[in-house]
Amino acid sequence: MAILPIIEAPDPRLRVVSAPVAGVDDDLRRLMDDMLETMYDAPGIGLAAIQVGVPKRVLVIDLQRRDEPAEEGAEPVEVREPHYFINPEIVWASDELASYNEGCLSVPELFGDVQRPARIRARWLDYDGSAREEAFDGLMATCLQHEMDHLEGVLFFDHLSKLKRDMIVKKLTKAKRQKLAA
Ligand SMILES: [Zn+2]
């Protein structure tokens, strides 16, 4: 496995619409393994292939739930539960919305409250290429919708008001200038 460089906004590649995957093979599984390692290393809870420069409809998610330790005062136990989504589609979304303060590995250190359907039902291909369908709510629903936006070239701040969006774009452009000057 390898840690891949993560593309950061305003890189135009993040605006590319990713292409469907024709078949799940070992090359694709290697990409998903690398994406997962990259995501854990960052650290983050979700990563779309385009964020490492691959315009394929593939994403990985692990909410990395932390369980209470058995002993008092000990470090919380991190539970790793990786999810792989190939060619994901949302087949149903609730009218009810939920708001979450979202961030993104491609938009470092910036956050914004985004409203999305609170519950969704999704269909996708799994790590082994088998078809899956499941309903999600809570952080999983939010995270999956955020990552699926990446497949359309959409970033979380596109959902914010123009004022907040302009503020984030300005900060990103400034950060990029500073990086180029450094
Ligand atoms: Zn993101």
Side-chain angles (χ1 to χ4, degrees):
M1 290 208 274
I3 292 168
L4 308 169
I6 296 176
I7 294 174
E8 293 179 3
D11 192 306
R13 283 173 290 178
L14 291 169
R15 295 309 189 175
V16 166
V17 176
S18 294
V21 171
V24 181
D25 56 15
D26 285 344
D27 282 346
L28 192 77
R29 275 187 280 271
R30 200 167 306 128
L31 170 68
M32 292 191 288
D33 291 344
D34 288 346
M35 283 169 60
L36 200 68
E37 196 182 358
T38 303
M39 185 193 80
Y40 286 139
D41 177 70
I45 59 171
L47 190 74
I50 191 62
Q51 292 180 276
V52 292
V54 181
K56 288 183 180 168
R57 301 185 84 80
V58 175
L59 41 103
V60 294
I61 292 176
D62 189 335
L63 301 181
Q64 293 158 73
R65 183 164 54 87
R66 283 173 175 272
D67 278 1
E68 285 302 310
E71 275 173 66
E72 213 178 315
E75 285 286 303
V77 185
E78 190 184 279
V79 182
R80 284 197 173 176
E81 206 178 3
H83 298 268
Y84 308 87
F85 295 89
I86 301 150
N87 297 342
E89 283 173 67
I90 291 176
V91 294
W92 174 83
S94 66
D95 292 332
E96 185 199 335
L97 302 176
S99 177
Y100 192 84
N101 192 243
E102 294 188 19
C104 178
L105 293 177
S106 294
V107 188
E109 289 161 43
L110 297 171
F111 299 88
D113 288 325
V114 180
Q115 280 208 327
R116 302 179 185 274
R119 285 168 289 128
I120 54 168
R121 174 167 279 277
R123 194 181 284 162
W124 71 98
L125 297 180
D126 215 337
Y127 191 80
D128 61 1
S130 58
R132 298 277 308 272
E133 187 175 322
E134 209 177 308
F136 298 108
D137 61 7
L139 184 55
M140 192 64 192
T142 293
C143 189
L144 183 55
Q145 291 175 84
H146 172 117
E147 298 311 327
M148 283 183 68
D149 270 356
H150 279 298
L151 308 181
E152 308 302 331
V154 172
L155 297 168
F156 78 88
F157 56 78
D158 297 335
H159 295 284
L160 304 177
S161 68
K162 188 176 182 313
L163 187 75
K164 284 185 189 158
R165 197 168 61 232
D166 288 350
M167 215 163 68
I168 286 187
V169 171
K170 214 160 113 187
K171 280 185 190 162
L172 286 169
T173 313
K174 196 175 155 199
K176 192 190 172 191
R177 263 205 309 272
Q178 280 170 346
K179 212 173 268 181
L180 288 176

